[in-house]
Amino acid sequence: LIFIISLFLGTTITISSNHWVMAWTGLEINTLAILPLISKSHHPRAVEAATKYFLVQATASTLVLFSSMTNAWYTGQWDITQLTHSTSSLILTAAISMKLGLAPFHFWFPEVLQGSPLTTGLLLSTVMKFPPITLLFMTSQSLNPSLLTVLAILSVAMGGWMGLNQTQTRKIMAFSSIAHLGWMTIILVYYPKLTLLNFYLYAMMTAAVFLTLNSVKVLKLSTLMTAWTKAPSLSTILLLTLLSLAGLPPLTGFLPKWLIIQELTKQDMAPAAMIISLLSLLGLFFYLRLAYCATITLPPHTTNHMKQWHINKPISPSIAVLTTLSIMLLPISPMLAT
């Protein structure tokens, strides 16, 4: 409980601060609060994940502090929105990319997610990404658009390609997260509010998937194949939520992609929009594979393996609410488009 409270405290401090040092303090509290949650099981894999996470986040935090100090040295400003020095903004972009796990700084994220339990994985993919995203949002005026576009296209490409061959559900979710962060980054300079909207919807859909996987205790694709007999209704809903994450209309996940492509074409960036849309097809492939394993495959040789009994406990309300939102929010788009 103390660690969860510290986690939300750190996030709140970062997103409500105006001064760079306060933002940095919040990020540090966040990192220190999540470490025990990652290494809770005392398994060597979990301890390794926590160590990797600590080293990467410590490096990124140092870079955040370094960029803000350089900016203060040149301009005398400690305000987050006044990041005007060009070198500082480049260093900050690198630091936040490390914190978020944007390509080419994405290598730590799948490893860490694979070593942590599903609930901590959910926190790592949603809550822990919120403070860095808000820092990007606040400094979006002074960042370099072409650098962000390159990072974004790289992220969507890496997230798609590296997710194709995975059999571990947590790693697949990690690569999916990297690809979604690419979508958020590409639009950041042109329409920062869309970045936040995309983040909220992504967090909601990811939370739904993680909670579903957690309730049927699925860690790899082979166990996902036998999950249908445990909870058929939950697996059916998981199919829809995964397709929503892939961004297929008429589901919620299509909304941010549609608005981002529309905004990019307005900004004369049609080639970038085309590349990023084609690269997201790679992601669609592994979401479809997850969905296929969850719902369409029944385990062969029913005589040989132990039958999975239905889970008698009802689906938790949080899963019900999150999946409903993850599937049915597309009709609100006219309200957002205006």
Side-chain angles (χ1 to χ4, degrees):
L1 183 65
I2 290 175
F3 293 132
I4 296 278
I5 291 171
S6 308
L7 200 70
F8 285 104
L9 173 74
T11 306
T12 313
I13 290 176
T14 304
I15 63 180
S16 57
S17 58
N18 288 320
H19 195 288
W20 272 113
V21 177
M22 281 305 284
W24 172 80
T25 311
L27 290 172
E28 284 300 297
I29 294 174
N30 249 358
T31 304
L32 294 175
I34 195 88
L35 286 172
L37 297 176
I38 298 175
S39 57
K40 194 169 61 176
S41 63
H42 299 300
H43 188 276
R45 189 79 184 75
V47 176
E48 179 196 342
T51 313
K52 283 178 181 169
Y53 186 76
F54 173 73
L55 291 173
V56 172
Q57 297 296 320
T59 314
S61 289
T62 316
L63 282 174
V64 167
L65 209 50
F66 178 53
S67 82
S68 54
M69 281 170 69
T70 317
N71 187 59
W73 177 263
Y74 278 100
T75 61
Q77 279 287 352
W78 278 101
D79 197 299
I80 294 182
T81 48
Q82 303 292 323
L83 190 81
T84 45
H85 191 244
S86 57
T87 316
S88 299
S89 63
L90 283 178
I91 299 171
L92 182 83
T93 309
I96 301 285
S97 305
M98 274 175 97
K99 278 221 166 276
L100 288 171
L102 268 174
F105 308 104
H106 63 284
F107 292 101
W108 61 274
F109 189 52
E111 302 292 322
V112 169
L113 215 60
Q114 181 57 30
S116 30
L118 280 167
T119 40
T120 310
L122 165 62
L123 288 175
L124 279 172
S125 336
T126 55
V127 180
M128 296 302 287
K129 303 236 184 261
F130 190 43
I133 290 250
T134 52
L135 286 180
L136 277 182
F137 179 77
M138 287 190 277
T139 54
S140 59
Q141 305 309 316
S142 44
L143 298 175
N144 183 343
S146 45
L147 174 68
L148 285 176
T149 306
V150 171
L151 287 180
I153 290 175
L154 255 178
S155 296
V156 179
M158 296 310 283
W161 267 316
M162 293 175 76
L164 291 180
N165 217 10
Q166 301 297 333
T167 55
Q168 302 285 339
T169 48
R170 285 169 295 186
K171 277 199 173 170
I172 292 180
M173 292 311 292
F175 288 118
S176 127
S177 175
I178 293 167
H180 275 273
L181 284 167
W183 279 90
M184 291 173 219
T185 315
I186 201 164
I187 201 64
L188 180 72
V189 177
Y190 307 106
Y191 202 158
K193 284 182 181 170
L194 261 187
T195 300
L196 282 186
L197 171 77
N198 194 349
F199 176 75
Y200 296 146
L201 294 178
Y202 153 77
M204 197 170 64
M205 296 183 286
T206 307
V209 172
F210 266 111
L211 290 172
T212 307
L213 293 177
N214 189 42
S215 75
V216 287
K217 300 283 176 281
V218 167
L219 293 177
K220 48 186 193 290
L221 287 183
S222 52
T223 30
L224 188 60
M225 288 185 182
T226 59
W228 173 260
T229 43
K230 275 190 192 173
S233 55
L234 202 54
S235 297
T236 314
I237 290 175
L238 178 64
L239 163 82
L240 288 170
T241 315
L242 285 165
L243 292 181
S244 181
L245 257 179
L248 290 185
L251 306 167
T252 308
F254 177 58
L255 168 60
K257 284 191 167 57
W258 172 29
L259 293 176
I260 286 172
I261 291 171
Q262 184 184 357
E263 187 58 36
L264 284 175
T265 39
K266 278 185 196 166
Q267 300 287 348
D268 289 337
M269 288 181 65
M274 191 177 74
I275 292 169
I276 204 168
S277 314
L278 288 174
L279 285 172
S280 67
L281 289 175
L282 293 165
L284 173 64
F285 177 80
F286 60 76
Y287 290 123
L288 275 175
R289 193 171 63 168
L290 267 175
Y292 179 79
C293 289
T295 54
I296 304 172
T297 52
L298 283 175
H301 312 305
T302 40
T303 48
N304 295 347
H305 76 80
M306 201 178 259
K307 288 276 194 293
Q308 301 268 17
W309 290 99
H310 276 257
I311 299 178
N312 285 328
K313 62 175 186 186
I315 297 176
S316 76
S318 54
I319 296 183
V321 171
L322 283 168
T323 44
T324 310
L325 289 175
S326 308
I327 293 166
M328 297 186 174
L329 273 189
L330 191 65
I332 66 162
S333 47
M335 189 174 81
L336 294 169
T338 51

